[in-house]
């Protein structure tokens, strides 16, 4: 991408819009994990989710700082996504501790995969920040361990959680598509209107196919069918 594009106000605004979506996702994850920790059956599990909530807030702060560097206000670029995220979480509100753990692993994993994919459309500095804000393997390992322990204690939950995981995947993909389509700057960024290769229908299909494959892998790590 030419330097003249990366320094243009329109491009900076579009990238800030992208970062705003990701920053709000981290903020929402922080609040949800903190609330879910109250459902934990043990103190150690509660501590684990509380720590994850703190990490999500730190990720939000990284993204918000980059938004400021781009000359935008974090609250202003995050605000348009609040309703969509609230609707998603209302539709996927866990009713049990195990559903909360699977949502943290599978649902947040889909969001992280989407973040990695769309980071390719950002400038190098913003891409670095996005990649630095994504959760690490240690977090995923803790969630897998918690979920597996719960299913061992309650084998009858396995079938229900498999259906839950499929529902999370469908809802997350639909929400991501809607959020991207509703913001003009973000749409322009992802479709290549600032230069570079954008997402045409074929590439968009390939992107969601990759997300589906990674979702299947995550479900397999839990011992669940996708």
């Amino acid at each position: 991408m030419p330097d003249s594009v990366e320094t243009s106000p329109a491009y900076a605004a579009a990238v800030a819009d992208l970062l705003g979506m990701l920053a709000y996702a981290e903020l929402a994850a922080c609040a949800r994990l903190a609330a879910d920790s109250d459902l934990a059956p043990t103190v150690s599990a509660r501590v684990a989710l509380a720590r994850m909530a703190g990490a999500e807030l730190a990720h939000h702060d990284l993204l918000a700082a980059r938004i400021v560097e781009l000359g935008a206000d974090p609250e202003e670029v995050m605000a348009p996504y609040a309703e969509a995220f609230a609707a998603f979480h209302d539709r996927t509100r866990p009713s049990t501790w195990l559903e909360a753990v699977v949502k943290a692993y599978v649902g947040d994993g889909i969001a992280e995969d989407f973040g990695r994919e769309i980071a390719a459309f950002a400038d190098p500095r913003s891409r670095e920040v996005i990649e630095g804000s994504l959760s690490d393997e240690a977090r995923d390992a803790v969630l897998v361990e918690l979920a597996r322990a719960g299913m061992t204690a309650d084998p009858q939950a396995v079938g229900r959680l498999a259906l839950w995981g499929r529902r999370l995947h469908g809802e997350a993909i639909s929400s991501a598509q809607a959020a991207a389509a509703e913001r003009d700057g973000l749409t322009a960024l992802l479709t290549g209107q600032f230069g570079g290769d954008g997402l045409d229908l074929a590439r968009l299909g390939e992107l969601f196919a990759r997300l589906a494959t990674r979702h299947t892998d995550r479900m397999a790590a839990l011992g669940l069918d996708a």
Side-chain angles (χ1 to χ4, degrees):
M1 183 177 296
D3 291 340
S4 59
V5 171
E6 289 192 6
T7 57
S8 73
Y11 179 79
V15 173
D17 211 1
L18 166 62
L19 294 172
M21 179 176 68
L22 299 176
Y24 197 89
E26 298 289 353
L27 188 61
C30 170
R32 192 192 70 251
L33 285 166
D36 289 344
S37 70
D38 288 338
L39 301 173
T42 65
V43 172
S44 61
R46 187 169 188 175
V47 169
L49 260 68
R51 284 177 176 159
M52 291 176 197
E56 299 290 4
L57 185 58
H59 295 161
H60 162 269
D61 290 345
L62 283 173
L63 293 160
R66 178 56 184 158
I67 291 170
V68 172
E69 290 175 0
L70 289 168
D73 181 283
E75 184 171 352
E76 288 182 3
V77 296
M78 285 192 294
Y81 297 106
E83 185 175 345
F85 276 97
F88 168 74
H89 289 303
D90 283 343
R91 293 194 302 269
T92 59
R93 193 178 300 279
S95 59
T96 67
W97 158 250
L98 276 177
E99 286 187 1
V101 172
V102 171
K103 180 176 177 178
Y105 178 58
V106 172
D108 291 351
I110 296 167
E112 289 159 12
D113 287 341
F114 186 66
R116 288 187 181 92
E117 291 284 351
I118 61 178
F121 298 91
D123 60 278
R125 172 59 185 151
S126 297
R127 186 159 57 246
E128 179 184 9
V129 170
I130 292 170
E131 291 171 351
S133 72
L134 300 175
S135 296
D136 57 28
E137 294 180 0
R139 172 191 186 274
D140 289 348
V142 171
L143 290 170
V144 169
E145 182 180 354
L146 290 171
R148 283 183 168 273
M151 287 185 283
T152 298
D154 182 12
Q156 293 184 342
V158 172
R160 184 180 72 250
L161 291 173
L163 292 174
W164 176 241
R166 293 171 201 150
R167 179 181 170 189
L168 289 169
H169 178 256
E171 292 283 2
I173 295 301
S174 296
S175 296
Q177 290 173 320
E182 289 173 1
R183 302 292 297 165
D184 291 341
L186 188 52
T187 299
L189 186 68
L190 299 181
T191 55
Q193 294 180 36
F194 292 105
D197 295 329
L199 287 175
D200 57 20
L201 287 177
R203 293 189 69 202
L204 186 62
E206 292 168 358
L207 184 157
F208 285 112
R210 290 193 295 273
L211 296 182
T213 297
R214 291 173 193 143
H215 170 69
T216 299
D217 292 342
R218 283 196 181 87
M219 293 287 280
L222 295 173
L224 299 174
D225 293 328

